[in-house]
Amino acid sequence: MSYIALSEKDKKEMLKAIGVSSPKKLFDCIPGDIKLNRDLKIPTAMSEPEVMGYFNECAQKNKNSEYISFQGAGAYRHYIPAAVDYLSSRGEFASPYTPYQAEVSQGTLQSIFEFQTLICQLTGMDIANASLYDGASGAAEAVLMAMRINRKSKVLVPKTLHPHYRQVINTYTRNLGISVREIGYDETGRIDTTELEKNLDNNTSAVVCQTPNFFGVIEDLDKISAYAHENKALSIAVLAEASSLGLLKAPGEMGVDIATGEAQSFGIPLSFGGPYLGFMACSKEFVRQFPGRISGETNDIDGNRGFVLTLSTREQHIRRERATSNICTNQALCALRATIFLEILGQQGLREWARQNIQKANYAYDLFKDIRGVKAFFSGEIYNEFVIKTGKKWKEVESEFMRKNIIPGISLERFYPELEHCGLVCVTEVSRKKDIDRFAEILKGILAG
Amino acid sequence: MIRERLIFEISDKGKNGFRFPKLDVPENKSLNDRIPMRDSIKDFPQVSEVEVVRHFTRLSQTNYCVDKGIYPLGSCTMKYNPKINERIAQIENFITSHPFADPEMSQGNLEVLKTLEDVLREVTGMDAFTFQPAAGAQGELVGMMLIRACMEERGDPRKFVLIPDSAHGTNPSSAHICGYKVKEIKSNDSGTIDLDDLSNNMDKDVAAIMITNPNTLGVFENQIKEASEVVHSKGGLVYMDGANMNALMGICRPGDMGVDAIHLNLHKTFSTPHGGGGPGAGPVGVKKILEPYLPVPRVKNKDDQYFIDEDCPKSIGRVHSFYGNFLVAVKALAYILSLGPEGLREVSETAVLNSNYIRKSLEKEYHLKYKTPTLHECVFSDKYQKQYGVSNIDIAKRLIDLGVHPPTMSFPLIVHGALMTEPTETESKADLDSFIEAMKQIAEEAREDPGILKSAPHNSYVRRLDETAAARNPKLRWEP
């Protein structure tokens, strides 16, 4: 297959116009001793049906379609309305570049402006950006932003934050003289506030708090923000399951300074972990330290409303090494999917969606807790995920479930060696009651055996 | 012209565009008392499905895009995005695959990642790749972190990174986040790195050089091997910004030029769509010396089984929530398998042919600061038009009237009033000619009737927008 649109005649005419005999001549500027002078050793070209066939076979080697899954932990199964795929696959959205030429990019720029507004409404914050790569790098960017604001060098990161997010924060901060201190959890499954208090001092730049946290437990953001502010540190909220914003109190109502997270839940398929959608919002006063692209409203010379990328003096192409972040390409098309998703759901749909998540998960939680040999490991309230402790090691429980074509959740042992009997189970609006009930029956059987 | 309102202005109480099935578990009313819940979000949109569909259809029609025509945005490689890639990236077993799925259940995904790694190793001459970086800038950051980790293990991370004055802004910014100070290296009269200036600045305090090749002028850094030797002789490493790989596929390989680490932009060279600003992917390739530091997780294979290796003690750690932008990798592999070795070389040859055809056709009308031969792009400037009071922005905006997308403006910084032009290989001669004709018409208008350029665009959806006012009085969200 080739995607070249020139005929042999075209090529000849063009070479003649340039004044060279063959395209190879145009590479004379490359020294001979570094030229390859052979064909690349990669598979020979395939036709479209052959390529399709190869990938169909490849995809068949994935076994996910044979299982019912209760996995979450930062990647959530939700229903995606048909209009999301339909609209976001339009070439007018999929095939432009970043909207540098605003006059021919109003569709993209206005969509970003709507996305920013929706994120502000959901988080209760003043401003939002056009997107970041994902939840993990969003958390890292929030930490770097806090350090730029208050120039302090210590950040408190709880063990209740997604382990991968913690790893990314460590990678991003390790060369910048920042000390990252991990804070443990208590029997509610929330941040251990005694330990938090002990570690807060006037060199603390920020306290990071994920809610609902990695264990699915809803944190007391209000209290965490108050602790942070008493020590003149900033409060960073991380939302790894953005659907919770449809029902739970907004970060902006709970003293949060920077809200960031993962919006995969808003119309983006699981896709083996990406592309996903990082987002960030903050209070107005921090706008100069805010990373990422922002769309802003303005007028054209006739006085008509239009949108442009704005406040770009923060960004790398203007400020180079003094930029607030190096990010330029972000996850624009994912942000468009989220925008369409949220607008389709609308005010009532969003609330109903979150309500079904919290109701179904709590139904499952209550059902499983009552099974002999099962314990609710934490006492805190949960949103759509929860930790259960079983009489057997989770790995054994899991393999029994897999035999019945159910993936019961995620083993916590690899991240928390102390939790080898615990699994993290996620129940969303797509989990049917009959599957939840069957889960309970199977679990009962495994633990009775 | 009818202006598309914001969705919030279309919204009306009580409408909705979606209905969930009835809750199939008994409602637990006590949750409302136990958990602090918010009220309905005031002013959140309430619209029907048809209104949403028309809203976005109308918005989309105000965008210019590659599916519509030539998009010669320099440094961005706006080539046509083959449609088969999109279909493949929608295969059910790919998109419903959970990132925590056991490797045994996701052999197909892992095969894609490993196969793509293998073909990119061959295309670039590097030894190993990571697919974690979600975009080029994150790739640069990872590349610099790898270099720093290697330097630290040798005993001293060093303080500086050398960056040519023609570099992308992301280079200095990425080096800075990695804890390095930037020293700028001058370009010489032919637009390439000044080897003397490099030698003078290269010492034991310099960790690395970041080179773009071909550079942002479209010029091949013909002394790259010598430059690499200078850097290596003082214990430094060479990072290459691979944004311009579209000029080199099957022609020459960074791994054969002394490059130790490189990032590729799958959304440029390997045809995955830009999506109006992402998602892209910025995989990083390295030579053996940097492989131990690559981010986790790494995909490997043994006895026809693919597995995930997280046990890499020297790794810089993780930079993405999961495996990077997996579906973008799927599309890039589909592209490479479609083209094969001859096809990839034809891509680069044709991209260079198209660019030189434009250069030749316009070099009388538009100033070229550097006369050096160029590959996949060339940088004109507004120098000849300045005498009529016309600047590059006026030329760009007038191109919009004439139905083509403008080149990249005002970059690289070493060319004042730059118009950086990269047609890519997928344009037909008719499309190239339409761009050339438009540019010629504008050159004539600059002489005859500059006013028409200064007030352009005239027939776009919106006319020239006031960017200064947008920044001075930021309005970043809708408010009732």
Side-chain angles (χ1 to χ4, degrees), chain B residues 74-115:
Chain B
S75 196
C76 302
T77 316
M78 292 297 286
K79 62 173 71 179
Y80 170 70
N81 317 123
K83 301 312 166 205
I84 181 67
N85 302 353
E86 299 304 309
R87 181 184 282 181
I88 287 168
Q90 281 164 21
I91 295 176
E92 195 68 8
N93 261 11
F94 288 141
I95 65 171
T96 59
S97 173
H98 194 283
F100 275 120
D102 194 88
E104 271 175 40
M105 293 190 53
S106 36
Q107 285 291 304
N109 300 334
L110 300 181
E111 181 179 327
V112 167
L113 290 173
K114 191 73 186 80
T115 309

Side-chain angles (χ1 to χ4, degrees), chain B residues 200-426:
Chain B
N200 292 338
N201 279 288
M202 185 63 217
D203 58 31
K204 303 271 184 220
D205 280 334
V206 174
I209 185 169
M210 295 180 91
I211 302 182
T212 307
N213 198 17
N215 65 25
T216 56
L217 295 166
V219 175
F220 190 84
E221 293 283 355
N222 57 356
Q223 290 185 299
I224 185 160
K225 239 182 138 178
E226 291 80 358
S228 301
E229 278 160 20
V230 168
V231 174
H232 286 150
S233 72
K234 298 274 171 66
L237 293 171
V238 177
Y239 183 84
M240 180 168 139
D241 180 328
N244 294 338
M245 257 319 274
N246 208 43
L248 305 181
M249 289 189 293
I251 311 284
C252 60
R253 310 190 304 169
D256 301 332
M257 307 170 193
V259 170
D260 300 296
I262 183 176
H263 83 263
L264 300 173
N265 300 73
L266 297 187
H267 51 293
K268 295 182 180 176
T269 315
F270 298 97
S271 86
T272 71
H274 287 60
V284 172
V286 294
K287 287 288 183 149
K288 277 262 176 301
I289 48 160
L290 291 175
E291 190 177 351
Y293 311 100
L294 282 176
V296 283
R298 299 209 50 211
V299 178
K300 297 186 175 167
N301 60 340
K302 199 181 167 187
D303 310 329
D304 283 345
Q305 278 288 304
Y306 296 92
F307 65 98
I308 291 161
D309 188 4
E310 300 236 20
D311 185 22
C312 311
K314 291 184 182 173
S315 166
I316 59 163
R318 183 181 280 278
V319 295
H320 190 272
S321 297
F322 298 105
Y323 300 96
N325 286 341
F326 171 70
L327 290 185
V328 179
V330 169
K331 295 178 198 182
L333 181 61
Y335 178 72
I336 294 170
L337 293 180
S338 299
L339 291 181
E342 290 91 7
L344 286 187
R345 192 177 54 234
E346 191 188 11
V347 164
S348 291
E349 285 176 356
T350 313
V352 172
L353 173 66
N354 287 355
S355 169
N356 276 282
Y357 178 64
I358 286 181
R359 174 176 165 161
K360 192 71 185 179
S361 306
L362 291 175
E363 67 185 2
K364 287 201 186 67
E365 311 277 359
Y366 290 90
H367 181 249
L368 267 174
K369 182 173 171 188
Y370 297 94
K371 310 294 181 225
T372 323
T374 45
L375 294 175
H376 67 298
E377 65 190 353
C378 58
V379 181
F380 300 108
S381 85
D382 58 13
K383 194 170 174 187
Y384 299 157
Q385 286 71 36
K386 270 276 180 231
Q387 55 184 313
Y388 311 111
V390 168
S391 63
N392 60 347
I393 185 167
D394 305 319
I395 297 165
K397 299 306 178 193
R398 183 62 177 153
L399 280 169
I400 290 172
D401 277 339
L402 302 180
V404 291
H405 196 280
T408 297
M409 276 168 26
S410 307
F411 185 81
L413 304 177
I414 54 173
V415 178
H416 193 76
L419 289 161
M420 185 196 209
T421 310
E422 179 186 10
T424 85
E425 74 282 4
T426 56

